[in-house]
Amino acid sequence: MNSNNESQRVKFGTKIGVIAATVGSAIGLGNIWRFPSEAQANGGAAFLFVYVLCVFILGIPVMLAELSLGRAGGSDSVGNFKNLTPKSRWWIAGTIGLLASYLILSFYMVVAGWTIEYLFDSLSGDLYDGYIAATQDQENAFFASKMANYVSSTWNPLLWTLVMIVLNLIVLLKGVQKGIEKMSNVLMPMMFVLMVIFCAVSLSLPNASEGVKFFLHPDFSKLDINVILNALGQAFFSLSLGMGILVTYAAYYPKTTKLGQTSVTVAMLDFFMAFLMGLVIFPAVMSFGLNNNETQLEGTTLVFVTLPEIFAHMGGERIWASLFFLLLAVAAITSTISITEVSVAFIRDRCRVSRTKACWIVMIPLLITSTLCSLSLGAVPGIKIAGLPLFDALDNFATNLLLPLSALAICIYVGWVLPRDFIHQQLSNFGTIPAKSAPLVAFLIRFLSPVLITVILVAKLIQML
Ligand code: PHE
């Protein structure tokens, strides 16, 4: 039992810090490139509508289960279980989230590196060096081949991944308050300002209303089981569920933090950011007639190919591209910090070493796993698991299987293994504040969430087989 660790555990210093750090984790590439591509593939506004429902029905309850577990356990993703039920083996459930977080970190760090490379290329003008405008049927050939060359080359992506790892290390070595909290307090407002600027610009483009229409006028005939499954999956990923992040961060929440309010605020801000991104991307794409191709908005293509092309059509491309990749890099770093902290907290608490040592212990193997992920995208095509490049294999395995499994285990643990009044105690801060929603939240955690997560899990398994 590490009551020592617990009593000495550093906490976030302010309420704003709690929100900024948690929102920083939630808002990531999932909002900026995954959300618009999911929305486009799943019927635009109809998806938006289902997504909001999923956030309320599944996202917020699971988030509350994780936050309650973390704050009550006061330790890392595995230690929380050990503290709350010392004699049981439930800690094994915590290792699933831990494993997921490390695997996700390995490839996400590489993508985060790309965002910085593109930021520097935009600033220096290299991104548009030799630019040839795409005609509609060329499908952004210039940026598509630029990206393909970059991603599959050997040294450049490795260099930028290393830069990203070093940036993470600098923040994490400074600790919870001076590192994570301070960084989030600065970067989060900056990110919102940048997003609002892009929104204003995009909405003022000619024909923007066509895009807004696609995004906001639901066509419910498009609704089917796949749309619902995709919305559930997106809500899950976007709120950073099942990754050990929320349990780890919640251990740094002061005892007075109102969990209910925090979870709703974080979920709303996360949604708001995705929503704004929809308002940026659909009007811009429609305005420049770049919506001729179904795969246009597919994840990475959207940000590294379609958007640079749009900026060129708008004029002032260097400035727009620099601001956009700054936004993307900020979104990426606040997420990588949170997911790296899962492992740092684990090593620090379980091996009882200093934060500094724990940071190095986490980062050194990460250099190797991230390098392998990056190389698997083309430079060394042999790095494969089950026929897929390591990068994609880790993504599929962790996001499709480990995340739902880890969240399912947490719901069962919090809902059925811990005392019945656990949720109420946590939501009401031990009876000191009202928690009228506690019975509903407890019901959702005990019954509905496990069922929905199992459905996602089975559906993903079927898709994968
Ligand atoms: N919510 C994050 C996102 O939208 C998910 C994530 C967090 C992924 C941390 C990786 C690291 O991108």
Side-chain angles (χ1 to χ4, degrees):
M1 167 80 189
N2 55 355
S3 53
N4 249 351
N5 273 338
E6 205 174 324
S7 54
Q8 290 162 9
R9 200 166 195 87
V10 217
K11 307 276 179 196
F12 289 124
T14 60
K15 205 171 143 186
I16 293 282
V18 164
I19 302 276
T22 317
V23 172
S25 167
I27 298 177
L29 304 176
N31 303 61
I32 297 183
W33 82 43
R34 224 184 124 166
F35 180 81
S37 49
E38 291 282 325
Q40 191 209 28
N42 293 290
F47 177 82
L48 185 71
F49 178 78
V50 180
Y51 179 73
V52 175
L53 273 183
C54 294
V55 166
F56 276 95
I57 295 174
L58 180 75
I60 294 180
V62 177
M63 207 168 158
L64 279 170
E66 296 202 10
L67 294 180
S68 305
L69 172 60
R71 193 180 55 177
S75 184
D76 62 283
S77 57
V78 174
N80 287 325
F81 291 90
K82 294 200 172 194
N83 281 354
L84 294 173
T85 44
K87 292 202 184 78
S88 86
R89 298 231 175 137
W90 269 95
W91 60 268
I92 295 172
T95 60
I96 308 174
L98 178 72
L99 176 65
S101 74
Y102 206 79
L103 299 184
I104 292 178
L105 178 59
S106 302
F107 66 81
Y108 202 93
M109 204 53 114
V110 176
V111 186
W114 299 348
T115 66
I116 313 230
E117 152 89 20
Y118 269 71
L119 170 61
F120 273 80
D121 277 4
S122 309
L123 288 168
S124 68
D126 278 1
L127 185 59
Y128 289 93
D129 204 18
Y131 170 67
I132 307 159
T135 60
Q136 295 211 355
D137 44 301
Q138 264 181 327
E139 292 168 11
N140 322 98
F142 177 78
F143 292 108
S145 73
K146 195 156 200 155
M147 184 190 167
N149 286 340
Y150 169 66
V151 163
S152 60
S153 64
T154 307
W155 295 109
N156 243 357
L158 289 186
L159 171 75
W160 292 102
T161 304
L162 182 66
V163 170
M164 200 61 185
I165 291 181
V166 172
L167 286 177
N168 272 261
L169 194 59
I170 293 171
V171 176
L172 288 169
L173 283 173
K174 286 193 188 294
V176 173
Q177 281 197 7
K178 291 202 185 112
I180 301 175
E181 184 170 352
K182 224 169 160 187
M183 170 204 68
S184 311
N185 283 345
V186 175
L187 294 187
M188 281 299 105
M190 182 171 134
M191 196 161 93
F192 275 97
V193 171
L194 284 172
M195 192 57 118
V196 170
I197 295 176
F198 275 100
C199 225
V201 171
S202 188
L203 288 174
S204 61
L205 291 171
N207 253 340
S209 58
E210 283 302 301
V212 175
K213 223 196 235 150
F214 172 75
F215 188 46
L216 296 183
H217 285 268
D219 172 4
F220 286 111
S221 65
K222 296 253 166 66
L223 265 192
D224 61 14
I225 182 73
N226 273 328
V227 173
I228 298 174
L229 275 175
N230 290 334
L232 280 169
Q234 173 64 15
F236 216 85
F237 186 82
S238 191
L239 292 172
S240 303
L241 305 179
M243 303 183 188
I245 296 177
L246 296 174
V247 286
T248 303
Y249 268 14
Y252 305 136
Y253 282 11
K255 294 275 173 257
T256 49
T257 300
K258 296 174 181 164
L259 298 185
Q261 207 184 59
T262 305
S263 67
V264 174
T265 312
V266 170
M268 293 323 298
L269 288 174
D270 181 68
F271 169 72
F272 186 55
M273 201 65 170
F275 182 77
L276 289 184
M277 189 58 197
L279 286 182
V280 171
I281 200 67
F282 294 111
V285 164
M286 297 283 180
S287 182
F288 293 112
L290 292 169
N291 58 328
N292 53 338
N293 165 7
E294 270 298 299
T295 58
Q296 197 86 55
L297 298 190
E298 188 258 321
T300 43
T301 315
L302 166 67
V303 288
F304 295 109
V305 178
T306 312
L307 282 175
E309 181 75 43
I310 287 176
F311 298 143
H313 285 267
M314 279 165 51
E317 60 272 11
R318 263 175 80 173
I319 299 178
W320 293 123
S322 304
L323 288 176
F324 178 75
F325 286 110
L326 176 66
L327 167 71
L328 203 60
V330 166
I333 194 168
T334 48
S335 292
T336 52
I337 293 277
S338 71
I339 204 163
T340 313
E341 178 63 17
V342 176
S343 301
V344 171
F346 170 77
I347 299 287
R348 189 195 48 199
D349 289 359
R350 294 304 100 207
C351 307
R352 290 162 204 261
V353 294
S354 67
R355 164 171 279 274
T356 310
K357 256 199 197 144
C359 285
W360 287 105
I361 294 176
V362 170
M363 290 304 190
I364 299 211
L366 184 64
L367 281 176
I368 301 169
T369 50
S370 294
T371 299
L372 292 175
C373 281
S374 180
L375 295 178
S376 77
L377 288 177
V380 186
I383 310 180
K384 284 193 170 148
I385 295 185
L388 282 177
L390 181 68
F391 186 106
D392 299 311
L394 292 191
D395 185 1
N396 281 348
F397 178 60
T399 37
N400 293 336
L401 294 181
L402 294 182
L403 294 189
L405 257 184
S406 139
L408 179 62
I410 288 178
C411 287
I412 295 174
Y413 181 72
V414 169
W416 298 92
V417 178
L418 291 179
R420 272 210 106 161
D421 63 346
F422 178 76
I423 298 279
H424 185 267
Q425 298 283 25
Q426 286 302 316
L427 293 197
S428 69
N429 288 350
F430 292 93
T432 55
I433 52 168
K436 282 201 219 96
S437 59
L440 173 66
V441 173
F443 170 81
L444 293 174
I445 292 175
R446 299 181 77 206
F447 297 99
L448 196 64
S449 306
V451 171
L452 287 178
I453 298 172
T454 308
V455 171
I456 301 182
L457 201 59
V458 172
K460 293 283 176 193
L461 274 174
I462 295 174
Q463 272 173 11
M464 280 166 88
L465 293 177

PDB file of all heavy atoms in Angstrom, residues 337-351:
ATOM      1  N   ILE A 337       1.408  14.444 -23.796  1.00  0.00           N
ATOM      2  CA  ILE A 337       1.837  14.620 -22.412  1.00  0.00           C
ATOM      3  C   ILE A 337       0.948  13.773 -21.489  1.00  0.00           C
ATOM      4  O   ILE A 337       1.434  13.056 -20.613  1.00  0.00           O
ATOM      5  CB  ILE A 337       1.693  16.107 -21.986  1.00  0.00           C
ATOM      6  CG1 ILE A 337       2.660  16.992 -22.748  1.00  0.00           C
ATOM      7  CG2 ILE A 337       1.834  16.271 -20.471  1.00  0.00           C
ATOM      8  CD1 ILE A 337       4.047  17.044 -22.206  1.00  0.00           C
ATOM      9  N   SER A 338      -0.364  13.839 -21.720  1.00  0.00           N
ATOM     10  CA  SER A 338      -1.263  13.132 -20.812  1.00  0.00           C
ATOM     11  C   SER A 338      -1.081  11.621 -20.906  1.00  0.00           C
ATOM     12  O   SER A 338      -1.143  10.913 -19.911  1.00  0.00           O
ATOM     13  CB  SER A 338      -2.722  13.511 -21.092  1.00  0.00           C
ATOM     14  OG  SER A 338      -3.155  12.967 -22.309  1.00  0.00           O
ATOM     15  N   ILE A 339      -0.851  11.157 -22.119  1.00  0.00           N
ATOM     16  CA  ILE A 339      -0.749   9.702 -22.260  1.00  0.00           C
ATOM     17  C   ILE A 339       0.627   9.216 -21.783  1.00  0.00           C
ATOM     18  O   ILE A 339       0.769   8.110 -21.267  1.00  0.00           O
ATOM     19  CB  ILE A 339      -1.102   9.261 -23.711  1.00  0.00           C
ATOM     20  CG1 ILE A 339      -1.572   7.813 -23.712  1.00  0.00           C
ATOM     21  CG2 ILE A 339      -0.008   9.503 -24.683  1.00  0.00           C
ATOM     22  CD1 ILE A 339      -2.301   7.413 -24.971  1.00  0.00           C
ATOM     23  N   THR A 340       1.641  10.050 -21.901  1.00  0.00           N
ATOM     24  CA  THR A 340       2.958   9.651 -21.387  1.00  0.00           C
ATOM     25  C   THR A 340       2.934   9.640 -19.857  1.00  0.00           C
ATOM     26  O   THR A 340       3.565   8.801 -19.206  1.00  0.00           O
ATOM     27  CB  THR A 340       4.064  10.626 -21.862  1.00  0.00           C
ATOM     28  OG1 THR A 340       3.902  10.856 -23.250  1.00  0.00           O
ATOM     29  CG2 THR A 340       5.446  10.054 -21.630  1.00  0.00           C
ATOM     30  N   GLU A 341       2.177  10.568 -19.291  1.00  0.00           N
ATOM     31  CA  GLU A 341       2.101  10.649 -17.829  1.00  0.00           C
ATOM     32  C   GLU A 341       1.540   9.350 -17.227  1.00  0.00           C
ATOM     33  O   GLU A 341       1.871   8.993 -16.095  1.00  0.00           O
ATOM     34  CB  GLU A 341       1.249  11.862 -17.418  1.00  0.00           C
ATOM     35  CG  GLU A 341       1.029  12.053 -15.927  1.00  0.00           C
ATOM     36  CD  GLU A 341       2.317  12.320 -15.116  1.00  0.00           C
ATOM     37  OE1 GLU A 341       3.343  12.676 -15.712  1.00  0.00           O
ATOM     38  OE2 GLU A 341       2.265  12.150 -13.876  1.00  0.00           O
ATOM     39  N   VAL A 342       0.726   8.623 -17.984  1.00  0.00           N
ATOM     40  CA  VAL A 342       0.196   7.350 -17.480  1.00  0.00           C
ATOM     41  C   VAL A 342       1.360   6.426 -17.120  1.00  0.00           C
ATOM     42  O   VAL A 342       1.407   5.841 -16.026  1.00  0.00           O
ATOM     43  CB  VAL A 342      -0.720   6.676 -18.541  1.00  0.00           C
ATOM     44  CG1 VAL A 342      -1.194   5.310 -18.078  1.00  0.00           C
ATOM     45  CG2 VAL A 342      -1.891   7.577 -18.892  1.00  0.00           C
ATOM     46  N   SER A 343       2.318   6.309 -18.030  1.00  0.00           N
ATOM     47  CA  SER A 343       3.460   5.426 -17.779  1.00  0.00           C
ATOM     48  C   SER A 343       4.398   6.017 -16.735  1.00  0.00           C
ATOM     49  O   SER A 343       4.938   5.296 -15.895  1.00  0.00           O
ATOM     50  CB  SER A 343       4.254   5.190 -19.061  1.00  0.00           C
ATOM     51  OG  SER A 343       3.435   4.617 -20.021  1.00  0.00           O
ATOM     52  N   VAL A 344       4.592   7.342 -16.782  1.00  0.00           N
ATOM     53  CA  VAL A 344       5.495   7.970 -15.810  1.00  0.00           C
ATOM     54  C   VAL A 344       4.951   7.743 -14.391  1.00  0.00           C
ATOM     55  O   VAL A 344       5.689   7.319 -13.486  1.00  0.00           O
ATOM     56  CB  VAL A 344       5.646   9.484 -16.095  1.00  0.00           C
ATOM     57  CG1 VAL A 344       6.407  10.185 -14.968  1.00  0.00           C
ATOM     58  CG2 VAL A 344       6.375   9.700 -17.423  1.00  0.00           C
ATOM     59  N   ALA A 345       3.645   7.968 -14.206  1.00  0.00           N
ATOM     60  CA  ALA A 345       3.060   7.784 -12.875  1.00  0.00           C
ATOM     61  C   ALA A 345       3.166   6.319 -12.444  1.00  0.00           C
ATOM     62  O   ALA A 345       3.463   6.011 -11.286  1.00  0.00           O
ATOM     63  CB  ALA A 345       1.594   8.218 -12.886  1.00  0.00           C
ATOM     64  N   PHE A 346       2.964   5.426 -13.409  1.00  0.00           N
ATOM     65  CA  PHE A 346       3.037   3.995 -13.094  1.00  0.00           C
ATOM     66  C   PHE A 346       4.438   3.630 -12.597  1.00  0.00           C
ATOM     67  O   PHE A 346       4.603   3.022 -11.541  1.00  0.00           O
ATOM     68  CB  PHE A 346       2.667   3.170 -14.335  1.00  0.00           C
ATOM     69  CG  PHE A 346       2.931   1.706 -14.188  1.00  0.00           C
ATOM     70  CD1 PHE A 346       2.071   0.906 -13.449  1.00  0.00           C
ATOM     71  CD2 PHE A 346       4.043   1.117 -14.773  1.00  0.00           C
ATOM     72  CE1 PHE A 346       2.311  -0.457 -13.297  1.00  0.00           C
ATOM     73  CE2 PHE A 346       4.298  -0.238 -14.623  1.00  0.00           C
ATOM     74  CZ  PHE A 346       3.437  -1.025 -13.889  1.00  0.00           C
ATOM     75  N   ILE A 347       5.456   4.016 -13.355  1.00  0.00           N
ATOM     76  CA  ILE A 347       6.833   3.672 -12.980  1.00  0.00           C
ATOM     77  C   ILE A 347       7.177   4.331 -11.635  1.00  0.00           C
ATOM     78  O   ILE A 347       7.750   3.706 -10.739  1.00  0.00           O
ATOM     79  CB  ILE A 347       7.846   4.133 -14.056  1.00  0.00           C
ATOM     80  CG1 ILE A 347       7.569   3.442 -15.388  1.00  0.00           C
ATOM     81  CG2 ILE A 347       9.284   3.915 -13.604  1.00  0.00           C
ATOM     82  CD1 ILE A 347       7.955   1.988 -15.438  1.00  0.00           C
ATOM     83  N   ARG A 348       6.804   5.601 -11.490  1.00  0.00           N
ATOM     84  CA  ARG A 348       7.143   6.303 -10.254  1.00  0.00           C
ATOM     85  C   ARG A 348       6.504   5.624  -9.043  1.00  0.00           C
ATOM     86  O   ARG A 348       7.155   5.367  -8.040  1.00  0.00           O
ATOM     87  CB  ARG A 348       6.678   7.751 -10.353  1.00  0.00           C
ATOM     88  CG  ARG A 348       7.159   8.630  -9.220  1.00  0.00           C
ATOM     89  CD  ARG A 348       6.387   9.900  -9.185  1.00  0.00           C
ATOM     90  NE  ARG A 348       4.963   9.605  -9.275  1.00  0.00           N
ATOM     91  CZ  ARG A 348       4.031  10.477  -9.623  1.00  0.00           C
ATOM     92  NH1 ARG A 348       4.361  11.697  -9.913  1.00  0.00           N
ATOM     93  NH2 ARG A 348       2.769  10.128  -9.686  1.00  0.00           N
ATOM     94  N   ASP A 349       5.214   5.303  -9.141  1.00  0.00           N
ATOM     95  CA  ASP A 349       4.524   4.739  -7.990  1.00  0.00           C
ATOM     96  C   ASP A 349       4.860   3.266  -7.752  1.00  0.00           C
ATOM     97  O   ASP A 349       5.020   2.832  -6.613  1.00  0.00           O
ATOM     98  CB  ASP A 349       3.007   4.886  -8.141  1.00  0.00           C
ATOM     99  CG  ASP A 349       2.580   6.342  -7.990  1.00  0.00           C
ATOM    100  OD1 ASP A 349       3.456   7.191  -7.748  1.00  0.00           O
ATOM    101  OD2 ASP A 349       1.369   6.620  -8.117  1.00  0.00           O
ATOM    102  N   ARG A 350       4.911   2.499  -8.817  1.00  0.00           N
ATOM    103  CA  ARG A 350       5.139   1.047  -8.636  1.00  0.00           C
ATOM    104  C   ARG A 350       6.601   0.760  -8.312  1.00  0.00           C
ATOM    105  O   ARG A 350       6.908  -0.094  -7.517  1.00  0.00           O
ATOM    106  CB  ARG A 350       4.757   0.249  -9.895  1.00  0.00           C
ATOM    107  CG  ARG A 350       3.306   0.210 -10.299  1.00  0.00           C
ATOM    108  CD  ARG A 350       2.385  -0.298  -9.244  1.00  0.00           C
ATOM    109  NE  ARG A 350       1.738   0.815  -8.580  1.00  0.00           N
ATOM    110  CZ  ARG A 350       1.293   0.807  -7.337  1.00  0.00           C
ATOM    111  NH1 ARG A 350       1.443  -0.265  -6.602  1.00  0.00           N
ATOM    112  NH2 ARG A 350       0.713   1.859  -6.816  1.00  0.00           N
ATOM    113  N   CYS A 351       7.526   1.442  -8.975  1.00  0.00           N
ATOM    114  CA  CYS A 351       8.941   1.143  -8.731  1.00  0.00           C
ATOM    115  C   CYS A 351       9.509   2.061  -7.658  1.00  0.00           C
ATOM    116  O   CYS A 351      10.680   1.971  -7.324  1.00  0.00           O
ATOM    117  CB  CYS A 351       9.763   1.287 -10.009  1.00  0.00           C
ATOM    118  SG  CYS A 351       9.130   0.347 -11.375  1.00  0.00           S
TER     119      CYS A 351
END
